[in-house]
Amino acid sequence: MSFLSIRNLSVRLKKGPSLLRRVSLDVAAGEVRGLVGESGAGKSMIGKAVLGILPPSIEVTGGEILLDGVDLLQLPPAQRRKRIGATCALIPQDPLTALNPSHRIGPQITDRLVDILGWTRPDAETRARELLAEVQIADPDRVLRSYPHELSGGMRQRILIASAFAAEPKLIVADEPTTALDVTVQKQILKLIAGMQARHNTALLFVTHDLGVVSKVCQKLSVLYAGMVVEDATVADFFAAPRHAYSAALLAATPKYTDPSAGLQPVPDAVIAAVQAEVAAFDKGLAHG
Amino acid sequence: MPILRILLVRLLTTAITLAGVAVIVFFVIRVVPGNPIAMMLPPGATEEDIARLSALYGLDKPLIAQFGIWVSGVLQGDFGTSITTRQPVLDLVLGRLPATLELSIMALVMAMILGGAAALTGTRYRGGRTEGAIDVANGMALSVPDFLWGLVLILLFGVLVPVFHISGRVTPSLDLPFTTNFYLFESLLRLRFDLWADIVAHMFMPALALAIPLAAIIGQLLKQSLKETMNLDYVTLARTKGYGETRVILREALRNAALPTLTLVGVQFTFLIGGTVIIERLFSYEGLGNMAIDAVINRDLPLIQGIVILFAVIFTAVNLIVDLLYTVLNPRLRHG
């Protein structure tokens, strides 16, 4: 059975437009699923809904988020928080803003272990040191005592990755974890996440707009348009033959660095019009059904 | 060591500030109408009497010469003699300083507790009725000045429900074993809780009157910056770890949000100390401010000068403390 199973999840701005339209997807234990789509397609929204960090201006209007068979949306808030904290983790997008500037690194890695999972402080600190070594940080003891501003962006992203894996979560949501980084660092971080994921056998929901990244890291993917899953496929199938016209166009729009003469291929207007008509038809169906 | 550098730079600027204050206060109080000699002599004194008394206090010399005498005295630690009480100004002023310091600090602590509680509660229940109610209360607290709060408090807790003393610093009939004038602290140190309670019952209302407007400012500003901080990425990340709203506010947001508030509290605290002048008068509290008003009424020039210089020293000290605190709270400044 899938560890994470999202069923018909609908989310909208309070009394406003829909942001997710009956999204369904599964992530099995140890599996990596990519979530791709344009900006605003709702890929990050899915991750936020799973982790219970949707902004207060957004409400869930229907569906289920089953985590290990339990619907998170039915749990009382305190229980939901505990469950998420114990089994899930987030690798955030921007390492420069995701660490608390007035706390040292050490407590920011160990806090969940100590406060939520009840580890002793020495145990948690030993674990933090191991994790920093695993993300290839040379001088763990110094780094644990440092403040975020004393470390580089790449270093901070490594720390956030280490922190995400600290409690051996079953599921990690990586929200465009390389977007804010330097191109040269991106590759290392990507490799690091993939390696950690494989070693710890963690399910990973990988939010990205980069199909190149998906082909390297993921086994399955969901293509989103306007909060609707237009295609759900294995990566192998998708890159061989995308089924939906929009995802095919999206794939064609990916720059081909091997052949610069090909130029950039925008998603054709006709495809956009077709997928928008699909969304409109879906909304109409909802209104009538 | 940036802290050492801050201290050195501050020492220098403080010296310049104090010199400026000394010049201004010295000449301004001599330019405004009224002179101490006229206040001292009975009606019908002769020109000769006036001249003799003026000479006694050195007031017959040219202004510049008087200034020179005063400054050279001050540099040697002699602030002159009060004209009305004939006691050394320094003794008078330092004798009263503890009363005002205790009152100001108590008011500051009250303001931080009240303002902090308002900000934290408002943030915890943001977007709801509780926050609205806190905003309204803040607005009311801000729009009424401290001395009016003093009158309101006297009416409420001095007259209608007389639970606090409305005048003085301590009940006069009590036997005070104190060796310093820091009654509040010393009574605690001597474990004389009976005296401590009496002193607090005297200080409570004047301190609260001073605290209410500052509490409102702290409450508003801290709530604003807490709410902004609550949307930052590291707070969101902490939520995914399983922390509840209250823990997130206290652990992740408060310290970062407190920084901008702290700067403002420093500035506002100096206003609060200025406010003690009227509040001490209102509550007949024997502090510096009350003494300042008497000194002005009696045209006691050396005493006025001494009090103003002391206030200037307090203001610069407060600013220095705020800067140092800022460095302690913000790790990014420590290695600058």
Side-chain angles (χ1 to χ4, degrees):
Chain A
M1 199 187 72
S2 305
F3 178 70
L4 170 69
S5 180
I6 300 177
R7 291 280 153 262
N8 298 322
L9 181 66
S10 292
V11 156
R12 64 168 187 186
L13 271 176
K14 277 182 183 157
K15 299 189 183 70
S18 288
L19 300 173
L20 293 180
R21 297 176 155 89
R22 310 197 95 192
V23 166
S24 294
L25 58 85
D26 288 271
V27 187
E31 185 179 70
V32 184
R33 175 177 287 272
L35 279 180
V36 294
E38 303 169 28
S39 302
K43 19 184 221 308
S44 292
M45 202 62 69
I46 295 175
K48 288 196 171 109
V50 170
L51 294 172
I53 48 172
L54 286 173
S57 56
I58 288 172
E59 61 181 352
V60 176
T61 51
E64 298 172 325
I65 301 174
L66 300 167
L67 200 64
D68 215 2
V70 178
D71 186 2
L72 291 178
L73 300 175
Q74 300 301 325
L75 290 179
Q79 272 187 41
R80 185 193 328 176
R81 262 192 334 256
K82 286 261 157 63
R83 204 175 188 83
I84 293 170
T87 55
C88 302
L90 170 70
I91 300 177
Q93 178 169 6
D94 187 354
L96 299 184
T97 55
L99 288 164
N100 191 326
S102 54
H103 295 322
R104 291 175 199 275
I105 297 298
Q108 302 199 48
I109 299 178
T110 57
D111 52 4
R112 182 201 321 246
L113 301 177
V114 175
D115 297 336
I116 309 293
L117 300 172
W119 292 35
T120 65
R121 200 162 286 283
D123 283 354
E125 276 163 13
T126 311
R127 173 83 178 132
R129 238 170 264 126
E130 287 167 16
L131 284 160
L132 288 190
E134 198 181 341
V135 296
Q136 292 143 36
I137 284 175
D139 189 356
D141 286 300
R142 185 186 61 83
V143 170
L144 286 174
R145 282 193 311 273
S146 303
Y147 285 98
H149 70 273
E150 298 166 322
L151 306 168
S152 70
M155 194 86 133
R156 289 191 226 181
Q157 192 57 293
R158 283 168 193 276
I159 288 161
L160 287 163
I161 292 166
S163 171
F165 280 93
E168 293 290 355
K170 299 261 174 45
L171 172 76
I172 289 182
V173 176
D175 188 3
E176 309 210 27
T178 57
T179 310
L181 298 171
D182 211 284
V183 187
T184 50
V185 185
Q186 281 187 7
K187 231 175 164 174
Q188 299 168 17
I189 294 294
L190 213 55
K191 242 173 109 180
L192 184 70
I193 294 176
M196 296 277 284
Q197 184 275 329
R199 268 198 303 283
H200 294 260
N201 195 33
T202 317
L204 189 60
L205 197 58
F206 201 103
V207 177
T208 179
H209 53 250
D210 187 344
L211 281 170
V213 168
V214 172
S215 70
K216 288 193 197 81
V217 186
C218 306
Q219 287 122 37
K220 300 216 175 121
L221 92 167
S222 301
V223 181
L224 284 140
Y225 184 85
M228 224 164 86
V229 178
V230 296
E231 178 150 4
D232 181 338
T234 67
V235 167
D237 288 350
F238 177 81
F239 282 92
R243 284 195 305 271
H244 194 278
Y246 174 75
S247 26
L250 202 62
L251 186 58
T254 309
K256 291 163 193 64
Y257 299 108
T258 45
D259 181 11
S261 65
L264 290 173
Q265 301 289 326
V267 176
D269 290 344
V271 175
I272 300 272
V275 72
Q276 274 174 352
E278 222 176 297
V279 171
F282 177 87
D283 283 353
K284 213 170 162 187
L286 272 192
H288 290 291
Chain B
M1 276 303 283
I3 292 192
L4 205 69
R5 214 183 58 210
I6 293 177
L7 275 171
L8 278 174
V9 171
R10 272 321 178 83
L11 221 57
L12 194 74
T13 51
T14 303
I16 297 169
T17 310
L18 292 182
V21 170
V23 171
I24 292 169
V25 67
F26 187 89
F27 290 103
V28 164
I29 58 176
R30 280 165 176 75
V31 169
V32 295
N35 78 72
I37 306 301
M39 307 291 295
M40 290 160 79
L41 287 172
T46 62
E47 286 290 324
E48 207 175 286
D49 292 333
I50 294 174
R52 219 174 328 130
L53 207 54
S54 294
L56 181 67
Y57 288 104
L59 296 173
D60 56 338
K61 296 194 178 69
L63 268 186
I64 295 294
Q66 288 184 34
F67 185 65
I69 293 167
W70 179 61
V71 168
S72 68
V74 166
L75 290 178
Q76 295 163 48
D78 175 13
F79 283 74
T81 308
S82 157
I83 294 178
T84 36
T85 66
R86 314 260 159 92
Q87 284 172 291
V89 166
L90 194 61
D91 294 355
L92 286 173
V93 166
L94 290 184
R96 286 291 185 93
L97 175 65
T100 297
L101 278 185
E102 284 187 343
L103 182 65
S104 312
I105 291 170
M106 186 161 171
L108 179 65
V109 171
M110 282 176 161
M112 291 201 292
I113 292 173
L114 290 174
L120 290 171
T121 316
T123 309
R124 177 68 184 79
Y125 301 102
R126 60 189 173 284
R129 275 198 199 142
T130 312
E131 192 191 358
I134 285 173
D135 285 343
V136 171
N138 266 342
M140 274 168 55
L142 252 183
S143 49
V144 177
D146 48 15
F147 56 87
L148 265 182
W149 280 119
L151 289 174
V152 170
L153 290 174
I154 288 177
L155 197 66
L156 285 179
F157 301 116
V159 179
L160 290 179
V161 191
V163 279
F164 297 112
H165 296 280
I166 58 165
S167 93
R169 194 177 173 202
V170 66
T171 304
S173 57
L174 287 173
D175 208 11
L176 298 178
F178 302 142
T179 49
T180 69
N181 282 334
F182 287 99
Y183 291 177
L184 190 69
F185 294 106
E186 203 178 334
S187 62
L188 270 185
L189 288 180
R190 288 178 186 271
L191 305 177
R192 290 292 304 273
F193 298 113
D194 54 328
L195 291 179
W196 187 80
D198 183 73
I199 294 159
V200 170
H202 279 86
M203 283 172 75
F204 188 84
M205 286 202 292
L208 188 58
L210 286 166
I212 289 173
L214 181 57
I217 294 173
I218 293 176
Q220 259 179 4
L221 194 80
L222 186 61
K223 179 161 73 73
Q224 195 53 42
S225 68
L226 269 173
K227 281 170 72 178
E228 280 163 24
T229 311
M230 289 305 282
N231 293 324
L232 297 181
D233 288 352
Y234 57 82
V235 175
T236 307
L237 185 63
R239 289 182 199 283
T240 69
K241 291 177 179 175
Y243 289 106
E245 187 71 12
T246 309
R247 283 286 278 282
V248 167
I249 294 174
L250 293 176
R251 240 185 70 96
E252 301 293 328
L254 182 57
R255 187 156 160 187
N256 294 300
L259 285 173
T261 315
L262 183 68
T263 323
L264 183 106
V265 169
V267 176
Q268 292 293 330
F269 183 52
T270 54
F271 290 153
L272 184 152
I273 295 173
T276 58
V277 174
I278 292 176
I279 290 294
E280 284 180 5
R281 194 63 170 186
L282 190 60
F283 287 90
S284 308
Y285 184 87
E286 293 131 25
L288 268 183
N290 213 345
M291 180 187 253
I293 292 181
D294 286 333
V296 170
I297 291 171
N298 296 322
R299 300 287 186 274
D300 193 338
L301 302 181
L303 189 55
I304 297 174
Q305 287 156 204
I307 293 172
V308 172
I309 293 283
L310 186 62
F311 269 117
V313 171
I314 295 173
F315 285 11
T316 41
V318 167
N319 281 323
L320 179 62
I321 291 169
V322 169
D323 280 6
L324 293 180
L325 264 182
Y326 207 84
T327 325
V328 172
L329 280 179
N330 188 349
R332 275 168 292 189
L333 288 181
R334 241 176 277 163
H335 309 268

